[in-house]
Amino acid sequence: MPNTDMTMEASLKDLSGYYQTIPMAQAMQLEVVGFAGDRLRMRAPLAPNINDKGCAFGGSLTSLLTIAGWSLATLELARAGFEADVFVADSTIRYLAPLYDDLEVEAWLAEDESWEGFIGMFRQRGKARCQIHARAGLPQGGDATTLQGRFVALARQAKP
Amino acid sequence: MPNTDMTMEASLKDLSGYYQTIPMAQAMQLEVVGFAGDRLRMRAPLAPNINDKGCAFGGSLTSLLTIAGWSLATLELARAGFEADVFVADSTIRYLAPLYDDLEVEAWLAEDESWEGFIGMFRQRGKARCQIHARAGLPQGGDATTLQGRFVALARQAKP
């Protein structure tokens, strides 16, 4: 796990504290699994995220995918020494197959972008955007749901 | 409110029962407001749907917009006498402005489609899809978040 160092461990703990301030994140019982290569993995149990058909509720899938993307951008900024406000600007979600199991998702930077470019832009302008992809996997392989989202980071304004 | 008749009232009650089978819908405390013209309105209080910044959590907004679209398609099928399984196939969401107030959303059929066409297709083939738009409004006017989603209705298979 080349991306996991002590700074990253601390940032992952910060994130867990952050999720606890969001009632819906708590209700979903989501948690960070860690990095697999450059992909951030998160999960949530099926039981609190189930729908009437016995599979994962679409709102939970979308929420978890979006939070995974948001967390990835936030962690990359933290790794570079920045605290920033990160927002999701837009996203496209495809629900490909029902998921009758725990929600396991991963998020990664779009292939044609680089964290160096994103961080460089943020350092220069106090603002940067990136495109993140995320997927919820099926236990037998393949995708249950995919997300492509644009995230924006803004430098925190100094408090007066 | 030309769309509200006794069948529709009964269907709205069915929907409320349906939401109670979904833990996240309960946690969001969402409810159907009713129809305003051809638009289905739903809402949820801010408190259980808040994020760390004190505004509406993106996952809650997306969930409520998606559920409003799903509910609209389900109600139109019920009005035509059909019980169907309705799924969201894909959606595009734009987060335009933070919402520091209760979540109030409305969903409607895309302007270039008709419920007659959707229901006719469903009657003929046991399957139909429609494009639904939805928005979460800001108290001062304008949009906080918008969604465009494609929903698919499938005839329920008779149980063996």
Side-chain angles (χ1 to χ4, degrees):
Chain A
M1 304 213 292
N3 283 327
T4 305
D5 53 21
M6 284 184 69
T7 311
M8 194 55 89
E9 289 292 346
S11 299
L12 286 170
K13 276 192 191 147
D14 287 349
L15 273 188
S16 297
Y18 164 84
Y19 302 138
Q20 286 175 15
T21 67
I22 303 178
M24 293 305 289
Q26 281 201 280
M28 288 175 63
Q29 298 176 32
L30 59 79
E31 59 178 333
V32 176
V33 178
F35 277 90
D38 288 334
R39 298 187 175 206
L40 179 66
R41 303 188 64 180
M42 294 186 68
R43 71 176 163 212
L46 179 61
N49 296 295
I50 206 160
N51 69 11
D52 66 306
K53 300 181 184 78
C55 55
F57 173 54
S60 290
L61 282 163
T62 304
S63 296
L64 189 57
L65 291 165
T66 307
I67 289 174
W70 180 93
S71 300
L72 177 62
T74 300
L75 285 170
E76 290 293 338
L77 286 157
R79 185 206 301 270
F82 294 113
E83 278 194 35
D85 283 322
V86 177
F87 304 89
V88 56
D90 55 54
S91 61
T92 298
I93 297 131
R94 293 192 174 81
Y95 301 89
L96 301 168
L99 173 63
Y100 293 92
D101 212 316
D102 292 342
L103 290 66
E104 308 229 346
V105 311
E106 54 183 7
W108 65 96
L109 189 67
E111 280 72 10
D112 55 348
E113 301 195 6
S114 76
W115 288 121
E116 293 72 19
F118 173 74
I119 296 294
M121 181 68 74
F122 183 83
R123 183 176 282 121
Q124 198 171 27
R125 303 199 182 170
K127 181 176 178 176
R129 54 181 69 220
C130 61
Q131 177 92 19
I132 289 177
H133 294 190
R135 63 183 285 275
L138 293 166
Q140 66 271 34
D143 296 334
T145 308
T146 64
L147 174 143
Q148 297 188 16
R150 281 194 313 155
F151 292 79
V152 180
L154 294 178
R156 291 226 175 113
Q157 301 297 317
K159 286 182 181 158
Chain B
M1 302 214 290
N3 282 329
T4 306
D5 53 22
M6 284 183 68
T7 310
M8 193 54 89
E9 290 291 347
S11 300
L12 286 170
K13 275 191 192 148
D14 287 347
L15 273 188
S16 297
Y18 164 82
Y19 302 139
Q20 285 174 17
T21 66
I22 303 178
M24 293 306 289
Q26 280 200 280
M28 290 176 60
Q29 298 177 31
L30 59 80
E31 58 179 334
V32 175
V33 178
F35 276 91
D38 288 333
R39 297 185 175 208
L40 179 67
R41 301 187 63 180
M42 295 187 66
R43 71 176 165 216
L46 179 60
N49 296 296
I50 205 160
N51 69 11
D52 65 306
K53 301 180 183 78
C55 55
F57 173 54
S60 291
L61 282 163
T62 303
S63 296
L64 189 56
L65 291 165
T66 307
I67 289 174
W70 181 93
S71 300
L72 178 61
T74 300
L75 285 170
E76 290 293 339
L77 285 157
R79 184 206 301 271
F82 295 112
E83 277 193 35
D85 284 322
V86 177
F87 304 88
V88 56
D90 55 55
S91 61
T92 299
I93 297 130
R94 292 190 174 81
Y95 301 88
L96 302 167
L99 173 63
Y100 293 92
D101 212 317
D102 291 342
L103 289 67
E104 309 230 345
V105 311
E106 54 184 7
W108 65 97
L109 189 67
E111 281 71 8
D112 56 349
E113 300 194 7
S114 75
W115 288 122
E116 292 73 18
F118 174 74
I119 296 294
M121 182 66 75
F122 183 84
R123 182 176 283 120
Q124 199 171 24
R125 302 200 183 171
K127 181 176 179 177
R129 51 183 71 220
C130 61
Q131 176 92 14
I132 290 177
H133 294 189
R135 63 183 285 275
L138 293 165
Q140 66 269 34
D143 296 334
T145 308
T146 63
L147 174 144
Q148 298 188 16
R150 280 194 313 156
F151 293 78
V152 179
L154 294 179
R156 290 224 176 115
Q157 301 297 317
K159 286 181 180 158

